Amino acid sequence: MAAHRSGPLKQQNKAHKGGRHRGRGSAQRDGKGRLALKILSKKVRKELSRVDQRHRASQLRKQKKEAVLAEKRQLGSKDGPPHQILVVPLHDRISLPEAFRLLQDKDTGTVHFSEWGSTHSFMLLCPRLKHRWFFTSARPGELHTVLDMAKVADTILFLLDPLEGWDSTGDYCLSCLFAQGLPTYTLAVQGVSGLPPRKQIDARKKLSKTVEKRFPDDKLLLLDTQKEAEMLLRQLANQKQRHLAFRDRRAYLFAHTADFAPSEENNLICVTDAVADMEEDLKVLMKADPDKQESLQTEVIPDPMEGEQTWPTEEELSEANDFLKKSSKVVKKVPKGTSSYQAEWILDEDGESDGEDEYDDMEHEDFIEEESQDEGSGKEEEEEYETMTMGESVRDDLYDDNVDDEAEEKMLEKYKQERLQEMFPDEVDTPRDVAARIRFQKYRGLKSFRTSPWDPKENLPQDYARIFQFQNFTNTRKRLFKEIEEKEVEGAEVGWYVTLHVSEVPSSVYEYFKRGAPLIAFSLLPHEQKMSVLNMVVSRYSGNTEPVKAKEELIFHCGFRRFRASPLFSQHTAADKHKFQRFLTADVALVVTIYGPVTFPPASVLLFKQNSNGMHSLIATGYLLSVDPDRMVIKRVVLSGHPFKIFTKMAVVRYMFFNREDVLWFKPVELRTKWGRRGHIKEPLGTHGHMKCSFDGKLKSQDTVLMNLYKRVFPKWTYDPYVPEPVPWMKSEISLSVPEVDMK
């Protein structure tokens, strides 16, 4: 019987590696420095069965549902705070007195009226719904009033027109409210019953399409009859509440009444003397403890002697003199046997330079070079060694253009500047009457804007001695928020009516309140009374196309605060240096940098500009990014030149400078072209600013030679907490007849 033989296609398996195991040393050598995986310290998660997972998910849903129901039951109940409703009519055809008349019906509940200035309000108690509301109103034209009251309102009731929904003023008001952050809101339409029956259905369909742009998937309620008013109140009572992040961690209250007692000192208001008289009749919940109170100091008082040096010693003075003597030497090649006195009279010839040697500030040669490799050579050669003496960095002062915002005749010039900035970014003309080395003496060249080092503590302005800086702002914010969550609540509970006594209040607050403006008080977190550098990310508002230049005075709404400041604009990047922007662009988000009071994010930001007619125009919206004085805003200027004569990789460039000294001064700075070439200055030619330059490739005749110069800029200290009252957008007066009732 013949034996079986395997064919050529039989599978050949890899042989098993036998032998002893590797030792620890061989394993480390084979690892070549690689480290083993770290053992995770997290607790081992217990695997739940499907039944347990469903049970746990059901419990979480139940807890969330109970929390929402508890919030609904507490808000507006007899034991909780009243449900505060802000009524905002979005069209000039809306009748606010008619809407209040339907809500104040006697069959609905008990009504208590209160009035001060031009802001009308009333309390509604409804036994049927077991709910109580506090209604206030604000006109869209009074923008600051609407924004301030929306910060403390539980629900906003928007009244819409049946044909148009809202007018231009109402649309502008909605844009500001959306940017600030909307609490819970409800939409009600007034006037549908006044239309012909055939047009009512079409009007509601058109209105629904209009409303979908801003309020998708929201239901429209009617407010023309008493029955519709009851349905609206039921919707307000059962609606789920939305939370605003910037007010969840801060206590706030809305003042119903206020009494002021003037003080003799500094025109301030003081009510501290009245506390002792009221202690006998009222219960005092809490008194200010001086030991626990934080200082109200907003700025650091700078010490003019801080940072000053002691008088240098004799050794330090002699070393400095020796260094100056060495650094001022010029390296020349002179005929053999020339003395130092004769070398002083030898002039350098223009244009004679080999362009190969570069100045090294760390290596100083002798004043006269006498060594020669070729003794038989009788030629007299003169070589010019350029020396560059860089002065010490001077403190970077702010450069301000002093733009007059109120002058309408300068608006055309601003439009031209904005267009030039878009066409030729950061390009400036070299002045003819001032030397470029003097005009741009605060600027420097960078090999790479992204990777070149720049010390954030270098050449800081004097205003930086007045601000506070956090060692780690992010960790401080997390620690404070954690303490707020774990801290036990002291003092008044949510929903209590309390009397608050505040001392040293400016009299302007009382005057503002007497004119009918709402009085709102909110608490500050630790350190929020101190001044620092705030960085905010903003985007241009599409409804405003007017050019906004950097360092113009703008009005800021940041969280609960409102103030004026002159910002800087810069790019929003993840690098350590951020390029300065001369205008607020409309295509990308920018970072706004100002001096202002510390605020912990999240906080919404709105930027307004005061027009010549006194009205405030919304120009940008965004959010607070950080509080960081070390964020560097770098301004770039670009000097341009024209290639006059072009060789293989060499070119003669003119019109970038206009004298020989400027060419020598900016010789170490790298050049670039608009078509991507890079090069550097070899030597100056003549006395009119022409220079020989070498590049990494041949230039085109239509190319442009550029030089980038940089300096760090800082915002102007123009912070002002006083904001002038704007001219209303809508001048129609709202009259409300308030009947006399017994307030008991």
Side-chain angles (χ1 to χ4, degrees), residues 623-637:
Y623 61 92
L624 179 62
L625 177 64
S626 64
V627 179
D628 185 13
D630 287 342
R631 187 181 186 275
M632 293 185 293
V633 179
I634 308 300
K635 182 178 180 180
R636 182 185 72 173
V637 296

Side-chain angles (χ1 to χ4, degrees), residues 143-144 147 172 176 553-557 606-610 616-620:
L143 188 60
H144 288 345
L147 294 177
Y172 178 72
C176 297
E553 186 179 74
L554 301 178
I555 299 173
F556 287 78
H557 282 249
L606 283 78
L607 271 66
F608 293 88
K609 183 179 180 181
Q610 185 170 0
H616 292 178
S617 300
L618 179 66
I619 61 172

Side-chain angles (χ1 to χ4, degrees), residues 168-191:
S168 59
T169 306
D171 183 74
Y172 178 72
C173 180
L174 286 176
S175 300
C176 297
L177 288 174
F178 271 97
Q180 178 178 270
L182 266 182
T184 308
Y185 60 88
T186 302
L187 306 177
V189 185
Q190 186 189 67

Side-chain angles (χ1 to χ4, degrees), residues 505-708:
V505 179
S507 59
S508 59
V509 177
Y510 176 55
E511 299 296 333
Y512 190 66
F513 181 75
K514 284 178 62 178
R515 292 195 296 267
L519 182 59
I520 297 171
F522 62 93
S523 64
L524 294 178
L525 300 180
H527 312 295
E528 285 193 336
Q529 78 280 7
K530 302 174 182 177
M531 296 290 292
S532 188
V533 177
L534 274 62
N535 302 305
M536 312 169 183
V537 179
V538 299
S539 300
R540 187 68 185 267
Y541 173 56
S542 58
N544 189 295
T545 58
E546 179 182 342
V548 180
K549 200 172 183 181
K551 300 181 183 179
E552 289 188 29
E553 186 179 74
L554 301 178
I555 299 173
F556 287 78
H557 282 249
C558 182
F560 280 100
R561 285 188 167 105
R562 182 167 62 245
F563 53 87
R564 293 184 295 171
S566 299
L568 294 180
F569 303 139
S570 61
Q571 293 179 350
H572 183 32
T573 59
D576 60 339
K577 296 181 290 294
H578 310 273
K579 182 177 169 296
F580 170 76
Q581 297 291 324
R582 288 173 170 82
F583 290 90
L584 182 61
T585 57
D587 51 348
V588 295
L590 298 180
V591 176
V592 173
T593 302
I594 59 170
Y595 290 113
V598 174
T599 304
F600 290 99
S604 58
V605 174
L606 283 78
L607 271 66
F608 293 88
K609 183 179 180 181
Q610 185 170 0
N611 301 330
S612 58
N613 56 2
M615 302 174 65
H616 292 178
S617 300
L618 179 66
I619 61 172
T621 60
Y623 61 92
L624 179 62
L625 177 64
S626 64
V627 179
D628 185 13
D630 287 342
R631 187 181 186 275
M632 293 185 293
V633 179
I634 308 300
K635 182 178 180 180
R636 182 185 72 173
V637 296
V638 180
L639 306 182
S640 59
H642 176 68
F644 179 46
K645 297 179 181 179
I646 301 176
F647 302 98
T648 305
K649 289 188 178 182
M650 303 287 292
V652 178
V653 180
R654 61 179 178 178
Y655 302 148
M656 181 177 290
F657 304 108
F658 298 100
N659 58 73
R660 180 185 181 88
E661 291 76 12
D662 289 342
V663 177
L664 295 175
W665 180 270
F666 290 100
K667 183 181 178 182
V669 183
E670 185 183 24
L671 301 176
R672 68 177 181 89
T673 69
K674 288 189 175 181
W675 286 26
R677 296 298 181 187
R678 292 185 176 273
H680 61 277
I681 301 174
K682 299 291 290 185
E683 58 182 349
L685 299 177
T687 60
H688 292 80
H690 292 200
M691 54 188 182
K692 184 192 296 184
C693 305
S694 74
F695 296 91
D696 56 357
K698 187 175 182 180
L699 296 184
K700 302 292 184 181
S701 60
Q702 62 270 29
D703 203 351
T704 305
V705 181
L706 305 175
M707 176 183 288
N708 295 338

